[in-house]
Amino acid sequence: MSELRQLCRLSVYLGNGDIHRHRSVSGEILSRADRAGLAGLSTLQGVQGFGHSARIHERPVWQLVDRTPVTVHIVDSEERIRAFLPQLADFADSCLIVFDRVEVLTFGRAET
C-alpha cells in the first residue's frame, strides 16, 4: 500500500573539488547527516554547471582540480532538517543551500 507524506528536502549545490579539512565537502555533509540520524541522503555528480563564478564547469581534461557540480540531497521531516541546518554553517559561503517542502510517495516502507 502506498502513502503520500509531506517531508522536506535540503539540497546543497557545490563543486566536486570543494574541500573542508582535507575531505570533500559532500563527504563531510554525508558523515554529519549520518551522525544526525537523518532519513536519507544522495550525492549526485553533474556533467556541467555554473554558479556564482559565472564560469561553466565541466569534467576537466587536463586540469588538476575537478570543478564539476555536485548536489547533495537530504530528505527528512521539516523539524529534523531545520535542526540539521547549523551543521552546514561552515560551508555556507562556498555553496548554495536550498530548502523546500516535498511530497514523498512511499510503498510499504518504514516510517522516517
Side-chain angles (χ1 to χ4, degrees):
M1 180 144 164
S2 64
E3 177 185 0
L4 189 63
R5 298 185 303 147
Q6 300 291 320
L7 294 174
C8 288
R9 174 179 49 203
L10 185 68
S11 301
V12 183
Y13 297 85
L14 47 114
N16 196 38
D18 292 347
I19 304 295
H20 177 76
R21 297 185 181 165
H22 309 292
R23 183 174 186 182
S24 71
V25 172
S26 60
E28 183 62 26
I29 294 170
L30 176 98
S31 293
R32 292 178 186 191
D34 183 44
R35 286 192 304 270
L38 296 178
L41 181 145
S42 292
T43 301
L44 306 173
Q45 184 168 3
V47 176
Q48 293 180 316
F50 69 91
H52 66 277
S53 70
R55 291 186 304 183
I56 295 176
H57 300 290
E58 54 192 348
R59 185 169 303 279
V61 178
W62 298 106
Q63 296 175 359
L64 294 176
V65 177
D66 181 356
R67 292 291 304 153
T68 52
V70 172
T71 309
V72 177
H73 297 282
I74 303 170
V75 176
D76 208 317
S77 69
E78 181 171 354
E79 297 77 29
R80 292 174 59 89
I81 293 286
R82 287 192 184 276
F84 182 70
L85 284 173
Q87 294 197 45
L88 301 178
D90 34 344
F91 313 125
D93 62 343
S94 62
C95 61
L96 173 66
I97 300 172
V98 176
F99 175 88
D100 55 347
R101 290 173 182 84
V102 294
E103 292 183 335
V104 176
L105 184 60
T106 56
F107 292 94
R109 304 287 309 244
E111 287 289 319
T112 56

